[in-house]
Amino acid sequence: MSALNWQKSSYSSESVNCVYLAVAPDRSIKLRESDDPDVIITTTPGKLHALLRGIKEGEFDHLTR
């Protein structure tokens, strides 16, 4: 596997609790957390888009209560 270009949000601080994202050569999306960078989750652009849309629309707010 070629090296991935990991990016983090400009809203993240320089410390911990950062989520990184990379696009793999096969166009899949890779996600990892700064606390455990060896654990990588793979998803598709469409599924990531649906997750982000759900978060923005409050679909998962009930999970934080």
Side-chain angles (χ1 to χ4, degrees):
M1 178 182 221
S2 63
L4 297 173
N5 181 23
W6 292 101
Q7 300 175 25
K8 74 173 181 170
S9 169
S10 59
Y11 292 100
S12 295
S13 66
E14 292 297 321
S15 57
V16 294
N17 300 323
C18 300
V19 174
Y20 290 82
L21 179 138
V23 178
D26 66 358
R27 305 302 297 160
S28 64
I29 305 294
K30 308 290 184 179
L31 299 161
R32 71 180 186 187
E33 185 181 3
S34 59
D35 293 345
D36 198 356
D38 293 330
V39 176
I40 299 172
I41 298 170
T42 302
T43 191
T44 65
K47 289 180 181 178
L48 179 60
H49 176 76
L51 173 66
L52 295 175
R53 185 179 59 238
I55 291 169
K56 289 178 182 179
E57 292 176 357
E59 185 176 336
F60 308 106
D61 289 354
H62 68 281
L63 299 174
T64 61
R65 294 183 196 139

